[in-house]
Amino acid sequence: MKSTQFFAIALTSVIGLGNGAALATPVLNDNGDYVGSTTNGYMTWQVVDPDPKGLNCRMASRFQPASLDSIDNPLALGQDYQHDVSSWNVVFSFKTGEQLRAVIGNGRFNQIMKLDDQGKPWLGVNTWKGDCFVRANYRYVRPVGKPGWNK
C-alpha cells in the first residue's frame, strides 16, 4: 500500500461532533492533496513542511490586503482554475510546527479552498500581515484537533 493511500484511509474516518452530526476529516488524493471545496470544519492546521525556509503563504499583489472571508472580497479571487497561485508573492512564511488558522467562509464549516490553474488546492489562512494561501497538501499542512475547534 502506498503511503498516500494509507493517509487517505486514515484521514477519511468520520469524527462525531457530540450533537449527532458528523463530519469527515479532509480527504486526500493519491498526490497527498486535500480534495473538495471545503476542509470539513478544520480551522486549525499545523505546518509539517520540513523545508528550513518554511512554508510559503502567497497572495497576488492585486488582491492585497483583501480579507478572504469579506463580503467585498474581489470576485476574481474566488474563481478557481484562473490563477497561478504558486507564482504569487510570498507574503508570509510559516515554520515547521506552527499552527495556522484557516479562513472561514460563509459558514463555520466552509473554509476557503482555492484551486489553481493546475487544479492544485490551496488553503486560505489568516496572518497578522493579512490573508494568504498555503498549499493544501499532506506534505505541508495537516488538520489539528476536531472540526470547528479553535486551538
Side-chain angles (χ1 to χ4, degrees):
M1 179 181 289
K2 291 174 27 181
S3 62
T4 54
Q5 289 172 324
F6 169 77
F7 293 122
I9 291 167
L11 286 175
T12 55
S13 64
V14 175
I15 296 177
L17 295 177
N19 61 359
L23 288 173
T25 57
V27 178
L28 296 171
N29 66 16
D30 287 342
N31 296 322
D33 290 330
Y34 295 100
V35 296
S37 60
T38 71
T39 57
N40 293 334
Y42 282 87
M43 299 198 300
T44 306
W45 293 70
Q46 185 166 22
V47 175
V48 294
D49 185 354
D51 187 338
K53 295 179 184 175
L55 175 65
N56 291 332
C57 198
R58 299 176 177 275
M59 182 60 84
S61 316
R62 68 179 188 253
F63 298 131
Q64 294 174 18
S67 174
L68 295 176
D69 58 357
S70 170
I71 198 160
D72 61 348
N73 190 339
L75 183 60
L77 181 57
Q79 296 174 331
D80 283 345
Y81 303 106
Q82 302 297 313
H83 307 286
D84 181 8
V85 183
S86 63
S87 71
W88 286 358
N89 298 333
V90 174
V91 295
F92 204 84
S93 290
F94 296 100
K95 299 292 181 202
T96 301
E98 276 190 78
Q99 291 193 349
L100 313 176
R101 173 134 169 88
V103 173
I104 300 170
N106 295 330
R108 190 173 136 187
F109 298 111
N110 185 24
Q111 281 82 14
I112 298 170
M113 284 283 226
K114 175 100 207 105
L115 296 174
D116 66 15
D117 59 346
Q118 302 296 311
K120 295 179 182 176
W122 294 75
L123 176 66
V125 298
N126 300 118
T127 75
W128 62 271
K129 288 187 171 185
D131 296 345
C132 52
F133 291 96
V134 296
R135 229 357 222 103
N137 184 284
Y138 193 79
R139 292 183 305 261
Y140 308 119
V141 294
R142 297 191 186 148
V144 175
K146 294 184 180 178
W149 283 20
N150 290 325
K151 272 199 128 196

